[in-house]
């Protein structure tokens, strides 16, 4: 009796091992372990044995049943792992690899916010080239060649007459050449100066503003700029106008904003003054109007240039301008 079951086992294991497919393995499983299978029959027949042989034969048969079941399982796994479908298998329970979502650069975000505010006040958006002629960048703005005012801006010269624009003010001239007054535009964009430290990068961003027409006064300039900082920051952020000089505006002013960090008490950010310079502005110089053919007896207007990096730094509490352009993910991801 024992011999027979051992033989059955050996024969079954040999067949299992040589099974070539899932189907043939199933057939072998039915042949041995199915309801009418050889091992099943054998187990049934144990009851017909003399009672003293029964326990041993039963034990043996169950042991062999387990051995075969294990062999079936292992072979089924092996056949599966060799099958083509195993290689297309996607384990849906694994955590996914997510794509890094992109986002707008903080300078782009703030530029858009600034534009939105001025659009609400009725301004149009204008654009001009970054590679600019000496005429538009300087001469039309009342800065003649060899005039000491050129030293205010460390210029990148492409050739004798071509520069990387040092400010967005040339867009004023380009707009006025094309449009008759009244004109109400802002011009955001990149500007370039040969300058590099914590507060200066060789490329930075400005928004130029220009409002020209009959009866436009310094009061309008103050109103528009005050409204702008109130909307950009809050109503408590007041402005301070300091007399200054730009060749293309007269009178000219440098405009400071109450320090958003210390609210005027004095801190590291505002160098203990309580104020932070954010823009240059003034009434458009008659020489500029003459260059674009406007009638200086009828037309007045103001212009301003806002430093976008400065506004962004104050808005987000960033202390080093260079961080904007190093493209460090740890920095950029925060916006
Ligand atoms: N263009 C000036 C600068 O970059 C700023 C400015 C613009 C001043 C318009 C007055 C009017 O420094």
């Amino acid at each position: 009796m024992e011999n027979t079951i051992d033989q059955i086992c050996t024969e079954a294991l040999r067949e299992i091992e040589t099974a070539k497919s899932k189907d043939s393995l199933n057939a072998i499983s039915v042949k041995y372990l199915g309801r009418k299978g050889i091992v099943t029959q054998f187990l049934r027949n144990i009851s017909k044995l003399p009672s003293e042989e029964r326990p041993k034969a039963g034990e043996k048969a169950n042991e062999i049943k387990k051995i075969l079941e294990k062999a079936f399982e292992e072979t089924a796994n092996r056949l599966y792992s060799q099958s083509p479908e195993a290689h297309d298998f996607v384990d849906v329970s694994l955590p996914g690899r997510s794509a890094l979502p992109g986002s707008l650069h903080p300078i782009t975000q703030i530029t858009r916010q600034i534009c939105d505010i001025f659009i609400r006040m009725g301004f149009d958006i204008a654009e001009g080239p970054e590679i600019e002629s000496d005429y538009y960048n300087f001469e039309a703005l009342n800065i003649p060649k060899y005039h000491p005012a050129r030293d205010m801006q460390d210029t990148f010269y492409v050739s004798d007459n071509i520069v990387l624009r040092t400010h967005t003010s040339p867009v004023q001239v380009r707009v006025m050449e094309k449009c008759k007054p009244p004109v109400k535009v802002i011009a955001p964009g990149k500007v370039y100066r040969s300058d590099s430290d914590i507060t200066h990068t060789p490329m930075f961003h400005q928004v130029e503003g220009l409002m020209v027409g009959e009866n436009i006064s310094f009061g309008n300039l103050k109103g528009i700029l005050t409204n702008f900082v109130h909307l950009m920051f809050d109503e408590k952020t007041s402005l301070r106008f300091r007399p200054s000089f730009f060749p293309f505006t007269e009178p000219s002013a440098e405009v400071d904003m109450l320090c958003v960090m210390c609210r005027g008490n004095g801190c590291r950010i505002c160098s203990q003054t309580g104020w932070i310079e954010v823009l240059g502005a003034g009434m458009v110089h008659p020489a500029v109007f003459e260059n674009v053919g406007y009638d200086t007896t009828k037309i007045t207007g103001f212009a301003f240039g806002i430093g976008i990096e400065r506004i962004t730094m104050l808005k987000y509490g960033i202390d080093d301008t260079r961080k904007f352009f190093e493209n460090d993910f740890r920095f950029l991801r925060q916006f």
Side-chain angles (χ1 to χ4, degrees):
M1 188 79 205
E2 257 178 59
N3 277 347
T4 351
I5 186 76
D6 277 336
Q7 272 165 18
I8 293 170
C9 180
T10 318
E11 177 61 13
L13 286 175
R14 198 185 55 76
E15 280 182 47
I16 293 169
E17 213 173 293
T18 52
K20 290 263 175 314
S21 69
K22 214 167 105 188
D23 290 342
S24 58
L25 188 68
N26 272 342
I28 302 164
S29 168
V30 172
K31 178 175 167 192
Y32 288 95
L33 301 177
R35 226 154 35 85
K36 291 185 182 148
I38 300 171
V39 178
T40 320
Q41 285 312 148
F42 185 90
L43 276 162
R44 263 192 217 129
N45 289 338
I46 286 175
S47 56
K48 294 178 192 151
L49 290 173
S51 60
E52 65 278 12
E53 282 179 30
R54 268 183 236 159
K56 211 156 170 232
E59 201 182 311
K60 184 79 190 173
N62 277 320
E63 191 186 310
I64 279 169
K65 195 176 165 194
K66 274 198 197 117
I67 290 171
L68 293 183
E69 278 167 351
K70 195 165 167 239
F72 276 118
E73 196 186 311
E74 280 170 6
T75 308
N77 287 341
R78 177 171 56 76
L79 287 174
Y80 177 72
S81 68
Q82 288 166 356
S83 69
E85 68 218 68
H87 300 285
D88 301 334
F89 184 76
V90 175
D91 185 348
V92 292
S93 68
L94 282 176
R97 251 176 278 154
S98 59
L100 206 59
S103 63
L104 292 175
H105 192 278
I107 295 290
T108 308
Q109 294 187 29
I110 294 295
T111 306
R112 290 191 181 180
Q113 284 181 33
I114 295 173
C115 290
D116 281 349
I117 291 172
F118 282 103
I119 287 168
R120 273 187 269 161
M121 292 194 275
F123 284 76
D124 289 327
I125 308 278
E127 276 184 334
E130 287 170 29
I131 301 171
E132 189 53 285
S133 67
D134 186 276
Y135 176 76
Y136 286 110
N137 197 77
F138 294 122
E139 274 181 59
L141 290 163
N142 200 29
I143 315 172
K145 274 207 161 74
Y146 310 112
H147 191 283
R150 290 211 177 189
D151 286 350
M152 287 168 84
Q153 302 177 348
D154 287 319
T155 310
F156 287 114
Y157 280 87
V158 176
S159 66
D160 268 358
N161 273 314
I162 306 287
V163 301
L164 296 186
R165 67 176 179 192
T166 55
H167 50 180
T168 41
S169 299
V171 185
Q172 288 182 36
V173 180
R174 288 180 174 275
V175 168
M176 287 191 286
E177 275 182 350
K178 281 209 206 87
C179 312
K180 288 196 160 51
V183 165
K184 213 175 163 189
V185 293
I186 55 162
K190 292 188 169 67
V191 300
Y192 302 84
R193 288 184 203 178
S194 180
D195 219 347
S196 190
D197 58 41
I198 338 182
T199 50
H200 299 90
T201 49
M203 183 280 296
F204 59 103
H205 298 76
Q206 289 187 334
V207 177
E208 191 78 8
L210 176 71
M211 184 168 173
V212 171
E214 286 178 28
N215 300 318
I216 304 291
S217 70
F218 204 94
N220 296 127
L221 169 65
K222 284 179 106 173
I224 293 276
L225 290 177
T226 305
N227 198 27
F228 162 69
V229 287
H230 285 178
L231 292 169
M232 193 73 207
F233 293 92
D234 59 42
E235 303 254 318
K236 284 187 237 117
T237 312
S238 42
L239 285 185
R240 175 172 88 166
F241 288 71
R242 276 182 293 113
S244 183
F245 170 78
F246 297 104
F248 36 94
T249 46
E250 179 60 35
S252 303
E254 251 156 325
V255 183
D256 301 337
M257 193 181 98
L258 194 71
C259 177
V260 284
M261 306 296 165
C262 64
R263 291 286 170 195
N265 294 325
C267 69
R268 197 176 58 86
I269 302 292
C270 59
S271 319
Q272 311 304 327
T273 62
W275 296 91
I276 296 172
E277 189 192 319
V278 284
L279 59 99
M283 299 308 291
V284 179
H285 197 290
V288 178
F289 283 148
E290 270 160 25
N291 287 334
V292 298
Y294 278 14
D295 181 350
T296 51
T297 61
K298 283 206 193 111
I299 300 302
T300 54
F302 63 76
F304 57 83
I306 305 175
I308 301 183
E309 276 74 7
R310 198 48 85 73
I311 300 285
T312 310
M313 288 163 95
L314 294 172
K315 198 76 186 166
Y316 292 125
I318 298 162
D319 57 4
D320 183 345
T321 334
R322 292 171 298 194
K323 288 196 174 124
F324 289 125
F325 309 116
E326 283 166 351
N327 281 344
D328 184 335
F329 261 155
R330 290 168 301 177
F331 174 76
L332 292 175
R333 258 194 211 151
Q334 299 173 55
F335 303 95

